[in-house]
Amino acid sequence: MDLIIHYLFLNQLQKWGAYYAYGQHDAICFSPLGIEDASEDFLFKKSYAVLNEVQHLILKYQGTGKMGAVLKEGNEQSAELILGDYKLKVIYEKPEEPCFGTIIQTGEEEFTVIGMNLKIFFESTKKGEIGHIGQIWEGRYEKEQWIPTRLMNGDESWHNAVLRVFGRTFESLADLTNEEKLKGNPNAYSTETKKVITTPGVYKVVTYKR
């Protein structure tokens, strides 16, 4: 019975709930409901492309207790995870947009984060020690090899106080919605316009305690 309930719970998650299923519940597969209606959803397609990019990490750390995940539902504003000697305080940065991510502890002081629209603070669980962020890289995996593309510092990380999981951005041609037309968008009478769409990104974080 527990297995059936667990299956039903995971099966009712949002389209990008695979991030939560794999990261938080060590799922071995995920089949979202209504997938036939998501074939033209740019965010949906890119979300699963990024999962494919990091599948070797998910397989490696599955069942080790070194993975966790968050997924904003309803009016939730934050979440907490414990990984190793760290408590991760997660703030959902854009409540009106999808906020989700999988966090993998890939070393004693190293984490890989895959997701979008999150702020993550790393706090030490060891008495008398404070957790700090030493370095944050945004990048991607190609054939299981890490390729860093941007060192994040300054305003991007509040001077290494927090990991801001912005995600990757793309410009996409898309039809304006009726709501956008009502707001007086200057392109309201154009059949197509460029939109900036945010999709999940991949980040490596090096931490330390003192």
Side-chain angles (χ1 to χ4, degrees), residues 5 57 69 71-72 74 78 102 126 140 146-147 151 162 189 195 204:
I5 293 172
L57 289 178
L71 173 67
K72 180 188 178 300
S78 63
T102 298
K126 286 192 171 182
R140 67 184 187 277
W146 171 246
I147 300 175
L151 177 63
V162 61
Y189 298 100
K195 284 185 177 181
K204 271 190 180 291

Side-chain angles (χ1 to χ4, degrees), residues 5 12 32 34 39 63 70 86 109-110 143 156 169 171 173 210:
I5 293 172
Q12 294 296 326
S39 60
V70 294
Y86 285 91
E109 298 287 352
E110 182 183 270
K143 297 180 180 179
E156 295 170 328
T169 56
E171 279 194 348
L173 290 176
R210 67 179 182 189

Side-chain angles (χ1 to χ4, degrees), residues 57-74:
L57 289 178
I58 293 173
L59 289 171
K60 179 178 179 179
Y61 290 98
Q62 195 172 53
T64 64
K66 295 184 177 181
M67 283 201 301
V70 294
L71 173 67
K72 180 188 178 300
E73 293 191 290

Side-chain angles (χ1 to χ4, degrees), residues 182-193:
L182 289 173
K183 287 180 179 178
N185 190 305
N187 295 313
Y189 298 100
S190 172
T191 55
E192 289 185 324
T193 187

Side-chain angles (χ1 to χ4, degrees), residues 155-172:
D155 292 340
E156 295 170 328
S157 64
W158 298 354
H159 300 282
N160 282 5
V162 61
L163 166 62
R164 301 187 71 192
V165 184
F166 296 104
R168 299 170 183 170
T169 56
F170 295 85
E171 279 194 348
S172 175

